[in-house]
């Protein structure tokens, strides 16, 4: 490398040497770097990318193979099931047995099971009525393959997860379940239902399937088949049904007891009306009903039912309450109607007899009321003071709060004369009986150091204690102070039992056991979780017994005097159509209501002689007959 001349030759040579050395070092470094780069293996981008793609291809190939294998296995398994499962003979429903209902001591209460069934050819069913059922249950019935895979999958998943029944089955599947299989909720039954439905759809015409479905379905009122339903609900032959009536029967299938207009509460009537409108609107959408004709249609209220033999007096009310609780525990109406059940109730025959006597005397229908009540009882005195009033109805429920057992229930004068149970109806205002619930909500806020208190909190506590309420019940500013929401004696007995069970939710239970074919059915428990704080429950009891200021929710929260043996709540509703009395102790809570109902139209009317304390007199007559575990109960002030 050339360098410039410098006068200082030595230093020049030295500098030149340094520069030359630096240059050499630089060349050496570049050479070393080249050697290093040459030594390192070069990245073969193309080849490496190809390997990644190949590996991904292998991954997708394995996944695809797994999917294909799974499909083959499922198809193979289904093929085996399809070949091995034949269409069976009709099930044993035609040989349905009676159901036997027993008191808690094992003595017989009633025997039911008379099945009302008549098969009719499809030609007798008006075309519009046929279309109403298709519109309600399965609009694609005429074009589907007989099954709904998504609906069946939901049903199987619900069964496996224990979530109960799920809809979504086709008409063919429902027909197969009703006619060939049982009502049990198992995966095996659902798989059989799927396979048999496919076979039935291939072998039978749609008209044959629809006829079988209409004739095998259960409509409530012990009516099997559309002909029996036409007679039970409209007192006419099936060919005489209008499209409006057919739409009601089609809507009814979803929940026969809940949607039976004669016994449905406000919520049930709302739901079945919506369902009826849904059916007719679907018919319009499918071109089966003229839109203008649809607009002119009015809901066709069914006629009053005719209760079966052996259910007169209180028997029918007790059986009805037991049936409802069984269905709440997961037993289907059709399975229950199939018979063969041995059902034992918690009802104590002595307490039941005493409650019937007291209620009958309190209604002014005779002091002896069939079994000879004490002539000096308050309820007997009430019967002498007021003549029988046909527009006055009574309902009562007596509960052991420690266990939640319903030991006595009065549903009305006679099940065959008044089908709707006054013990379970919730269409009358709660009135002053709701005040302790509002008090509990206020105390709950204070005992738990919460900052807010209002309608939403009262609604929350009401639901927690077992009242079936919705936001509409609290729409009025005076709803909580006047108790404008509806409640039944059964619900109120549960609420007050919760106060006497340290705040745990008590859902009164009438069922002791239910067996079929030697196997016991799992029943829902009567004692639930903590609804309110135990301290709140104690304070409410003290409030009810006079130990806390009773003027309202702003009274002191410190208990004053010790809790009395009996706590009472009583009074009339704001509309004067109901009068209540609830007498409570630590081992017996009894809710009694008197309701104004027109004997002819069954519409709510104002009570006569309201405020005279007849519900309290009924309670006194009930308790004075030595019902409190053999010990007489102190008689409270009738005004509460």
């Amino acid at each position: 490398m050339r360098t410039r001349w410098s006068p200082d030759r030595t230093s020049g040579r030295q500098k030149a040497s340094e520069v030359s050395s630096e240059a050499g070092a630089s060349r050496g470094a570049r050479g070393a770097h080249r050697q290093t780069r040459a030594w390192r293996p070069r990245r073969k981008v193309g080849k490496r990318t190809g390997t990644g793609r190949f590996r991904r291809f292998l991954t997708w190939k394995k996944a695809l193979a797994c999917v294909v294998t799974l499909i083959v296995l499922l198809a193979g398994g289904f093929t085996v099931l399809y070949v091995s499962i034949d269409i069976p003979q009709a099930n044993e429903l035609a040989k349905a047995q009676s159901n036997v209902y027993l008191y808690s001591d094992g003595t017989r209460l009633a025997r039911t099971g008379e099945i009302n069934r008549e098969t009719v050819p499809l030609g007798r069913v008006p075309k519009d009525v046929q279309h109403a059922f298709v519109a309600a249950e399965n609009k694609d019935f005429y074009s589907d393959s007989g099954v709904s895979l998504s609906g069946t999958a939901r049903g199987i998943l619900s069964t496996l997860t224990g979530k109960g029944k799920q809809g979504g089955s086709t008409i063919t599947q429902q027909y197969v379940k009703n006619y060939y299989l049982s009502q049990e909720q198992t995966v095996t039954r659902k798989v059989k239902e799927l396979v048999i439905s496919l076979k039935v759809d291939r072998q039978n015409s749609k008209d044959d399937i629809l006829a079988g479905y209409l004739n095998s379905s259960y409509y409530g009122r012990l009516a099997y088949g559309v002909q029996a339903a036409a007679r039970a609900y409209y007192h006419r032959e099936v060919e005489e049904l209008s499209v409006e009536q057919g739409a009601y029967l089609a809507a009814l299938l979803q929940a026969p007891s809940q949607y039976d207009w004669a016994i449905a509460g406000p919520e049930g009537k709302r739901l079945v009306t919506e369902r009826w409108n849904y059916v007719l609107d679907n018919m319009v959408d499918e071109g089966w009903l003229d839109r203008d004709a649809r607009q002119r249609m009015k809901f066709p209220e069914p006629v009053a039912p005719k209760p079966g033999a052996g259910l007169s007096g209180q028997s029918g009310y007790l059986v009805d309450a037991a049936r409802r609780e069984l269905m709440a525990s997961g037993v289907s109406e059709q399975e229950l109607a199939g018979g063969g059940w041995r059902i034992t109730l918690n009802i104590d025959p002595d307490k039941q007899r005493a409650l019937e006597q007291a209620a009958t005397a309190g209604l002014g229908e005779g002091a002896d009321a069939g079994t000879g009540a004490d002539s000096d009882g308050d309820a007997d005195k009430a019967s002498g003071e007021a003549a029988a009033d046909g527009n006055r109805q009574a309902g009562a429920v007596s509960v052991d709060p420690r266990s939640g057992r319903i030991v006595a229930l009065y549903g009305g004068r006679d099940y065959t004369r008044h089908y709707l149970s006054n013990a379970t109806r919730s269409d009358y205002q709660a009135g002053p009986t709701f005040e302790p619930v509002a008090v509990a909500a206020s105390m709950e806020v204070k005992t738990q150091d919460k900052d807010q208190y209002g309608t939403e909190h009262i609604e929350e506590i009401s639901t927690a204690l077992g009242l079936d309420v919705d936001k509409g019940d609290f729409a009025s500013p005076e709803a909580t102070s006047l108790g404008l929401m509806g409640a039944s004696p059964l619900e109120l007995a549960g609420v007050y039992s919760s106060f006497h069970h340290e705040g745990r939710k008590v859902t009164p239970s009438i069922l002791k056991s239910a067996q079929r074919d030697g196997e016991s059915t799992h029943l829902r428990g009567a004692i639930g979780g903590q609804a309110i704080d135990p301290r709140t429950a104690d304070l409410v009891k003290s409030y009810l017994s006079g130990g806390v200021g009773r003027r309202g929710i702003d009274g002191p929260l410190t208990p004053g005097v010790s809790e009395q043996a009996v706590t009472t709540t009583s009074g009339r509703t704001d509309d004067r159509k109901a009068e209540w009395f609830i007498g409570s102790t630590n081992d017996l809570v009894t809710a009694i209501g008197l309701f104004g109902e027109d004997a002819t139209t069954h519409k709510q009317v104002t009570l006569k002689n309201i405020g005279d304390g007849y519900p309290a007199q009924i309670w006194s007559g009930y308790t004075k007959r030595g019902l409190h575990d053999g010990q007489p109960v102190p008689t409270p002030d009738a005004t509460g």
Side-chain angles (χ1 to χ4, degrees):
M1 179 178 178
R2 284 188 175 182
T3 60
R4 291 182 180 180
W5 176 85
S6 170
D8 187 351
R9 293 182 178 268
T10 303
S11 61
R13 283 195 298 268
Q14 182 177 0
K15 290 179 180 179
S17 175
E18 290 176 357
V19 171
S20 178
S21 298
E22 290 177 1
S26 176
R27 285 194 300 269
R30 284 197 299 269
H33 181 64
R34 289 192 195 100
Q35 289 178 359
T36 301
R37 287 195 305 176
W39 177 80
R40 290 178 180 173
R42 292 191 177 185
R43 296 178 60 190
K44 301 178 180 179
V45 178
K47 187 174 182 180
R48 184 162 186 150
T49 303
T51 301
R53 290 176 179 172
F54 181 70
R55 289 176 179 172
R56 286 197 296 272
F57 173 74
L58 286 178
T59 301
W60 282 108
K61 187 175 182 180
K62 289 180 180 179
L64 181 60
C66 291
V67 172
V68 171
T69 302
L70 180 60
I71 293 174
V72 170
L73 290 175
L74 289 175
F78 186 79
T79 302
V80 172
L81 289 174
Y82 191 86
V83 173
S84 61
I85 298 177
D86 294 324
I87 299 177
Q89 296 294 318
N91 60 30
E92 295 297 313
L93 188 59
K95 302 177 182 178
Q97 307 171 54
S98 297
N99 291 326
V100 178
Y101 293 82
L102 307 172
Y103 285 109
S104 60
D105 63 357
T107 56
R108 180 174 295 180
L109 164 66
R111 178 186 290 272
T112 67
E114 181 183 350
I115 302 300
N116 180 14
R117 180 192 290 108
E118 182 179 345
T119 300
V120 295
L122 190 63
R124 286 186 58 184
V125 184
K127 200 69 176 179
D128 285 341
V129 175
Q130 296 179 34
H131 287 156
F133 281 89
V134 175
E137 296 293 330
N138 182 191
K139 291 191 295 183
D140 299 326
F141 167 70
Y142 292 110
S143 59
D144 66 24
S145 61
V147 300
S148 169
L149 293 178
S150 59
T152 302
R154 285 198 304 272
I156 292 176
L157 181 61
S158 297
T159 299
L160 291 174
T161 56
K163 293 183 179 179
K165 303 171 185 176
Q166 291 288 325
S169 296
T170 65
I171 282 178
T172 306
Q173 287 177 271
Q174 293 181 58
Y175 163 57
V176 166
K177 180 181 66 175
N178 294 341
Y179 191 72
Y180 295 109
L181 301 173
S182 68
Q183 300 295 316
E184 62 179 346
Q185 298 296 310
T186 63
V187 174
T188 301
R189 200 274 295 160
K190 293 181 184 297
V191 172
K192 286 183 178 179
E193 174 191 302
L194 180 69
V195 173
I196 295 172
S197 297
L198 287 171
K199 288 191 172 184
V200 167
D201 187 76
R202 291 187 59 185
Q203 298 181 18
N204 297 359
S205 69
K206 290 293 186 180
D207 281 352
D208 288 340
I209 294 171
L210 183 59
Y213 170 71
L214 295 177
N215 284 310
S216 63
S217 295
Y218 179 66
Y219 297 78
R221 298 190 183 184
L222 297 180
Y224 278 91
V226 67
Q227 166 70 350
R231 288 177 174 171
Y233 288 92
Y234 292 108
H235 290 178
R236 58 180 56 190
E237 302 298 304
V238 65
E239 52 264 41
E240 299 171 343
L241 288 174
S242 66
V243 62
E244 296 96 324
Q245 293 168 340
Y248 172 76
L249 295 182
L252 189 69
L253 287 180
Q254 191 174 66
S257 289
Q258 185 183 10
Y259 291 172
D260 186 340
W261 196 263
I263 59 175
E267 180 68 6
K269 289 182 177 180
R270 181 185 67 81
L271 291 174
V272 74
T273 303
E274 289 181 356
R275 180 76 173 167
W276 178 77
N277 283 307
Y278 166 82
V279 173
L280 294 177
D281 290 342
N282 279 351
M283 292 180 69
V284 172
D285 293 341
E286 294 297 318
W288 296 330
L289 181 63
D290 179 73
R291 189 175 298 276
D292 291 336
R294 158 72 182 96
Q295 296 300 321
R296 295 191 296 270
M297 291 179 175
K298 295 183 179 180
F299 185 85
E301 291 190 16
V303 299
K306 295 181 178 180
L311 296 179
S312 60
Q314 298 304 304
S315 298
Y317 298 122
L318 297 176
V319 168
D320 178 68
R323 291 176 62 254
R324 289 174 178 273
E325 190 171 322
L326 268 175
M327 288 183 285
S329 297
V331 177
S332 72
E333 289 193 60
Q334 186 147 342
E335 186 178 7
L336 182 60
W341 291 87
R342 184 178 179 85
I343 301 166
T344 304
L345 278 57
N346 287 319
I347 298 295
D348 181 299
D350 293 332
K351 289 181 172 61
Q352 178 65 28
R353 188 180 306 110
L355 183 59
E356 291 177 27
Q357 293 171 358
T360 303
L363 288 169
E365 298 184 345
D368 51 8
T371 53
D374 298 335
S375 60
D376 60 345
D378 289 342
D380 303 328
K381 184 168 59 178
S383 68
E385 295 174 350
D389 183 356
N391 291 343
R392 182 190 296 147
Q393 293 286 339
V397 176
S398 190
V399 176
D400 178 352
R402 298 165 300 184
S403 63
R405 295 183 298 113
I406 299 175
V407 296
L409 180 148
Y410 182 86
R413 288 181 174 86
D414 190 324
Y415 186 69
T416 60
R417 293 162 53 195
H418 190 268
Y419 193 67
L420 177 61
S421 175
N422 297 318
T424 58
R425 69 187 306 173
S426 58
D427 52 340
Y428 284 85
Q429 294 177 4
T433 64
F434 185 78
E435 183 182 12
V437 178
V439 171
S442 173
M443 292 178 174
E444 192 81 343
V445 169
K446 295 179 181 180
T447 56
Q448 296 184 6
D449 296 326
K450 294 182 179 179
D451 296 329
Q452 59 180 15
Y453 169 74
T455 301
E456 290 185 0
H457 192 64
I458 297 176
E459 181 183 350
E460 178 185 340
I461 295 299
S462 301
T463 302
L465 288 169
L467 287 176
D468 185 12
V469 298
D470 55 42
K471 292 189 179 298
D473 292 331
F474 297 89
S476 170
E478 299 178 320
T480 57
S481 60
L482 297 178
L484 301 183
M485 62 292 300
S488 68
L490 179 63
E491 288 177 312
L492 291 173
V495 170
Y496 281 68
S497 292
S498 297
F499 295 149
H500 286 267
H501 198 112
E502 299 178 341
R504 294 185 65 183
K505 182 180 180 180
V506 177
T507 304
S509 171
I510 198 171
L511 291 177
K512 183 177 182 180
S513 65
Q515 295 181 329
R516 191 185 195 191
D517 297 330
E519 295 186 3
S520 297
T521 296
H522 175 73
L523 304 175
R524 63 170 174 79
I527 308 300
Q530 205 69 41
I532 57 176
D533 192 285
R535 294 173 296 171
T536 299
D538 287 340
L539 289 170
V540 171
K541 286 195 300 179
S542 183
Y543 167 86
L544 291 173
S545 64
V548 177
R550 296 190 60 173
R551 293 186 176 182
I553 58 178
D554 294 326
L557 291 177
T558 302
V561 298
S562 60
E563 181 186 356
Q564 298 174 2
V566 177
T567 62
T568 64
T569 301
S570 64
R572 68 187 187 211
T573 59
D574 183 60
D575 58 6
R576 303 178 64 86
K577 294 179 180 178
E579 187 174 4
W580 294 92
F581 184 91
I582 301 178
S584 307
T585 67
N586 284 332
D587 50 15
L588 194 65
V589 173
T590 305
I592 299 170
L594 284 187
F595 310 120
E597 179 188 282
D598 188 279
T600 303
T601 65
H602 301 294
K603 295 184 180 300
Q604 294 187 11
V605 296
T606 301
L607 274 171
K608 295 180 181 179
N609 301 316
I610 194 169
D612 288 347
Y614 291 120
Q617 292 166 2
I618 292 175
W619 187 83
S620 295
Y622 170 54
T623 57
K624 277 187 176 180
R625 289 173 171 86
L627 302 179
H628 204 63
D629 291 335
Q631 300 297 321
V633 176
T635 302
D637 181 355
T639 62

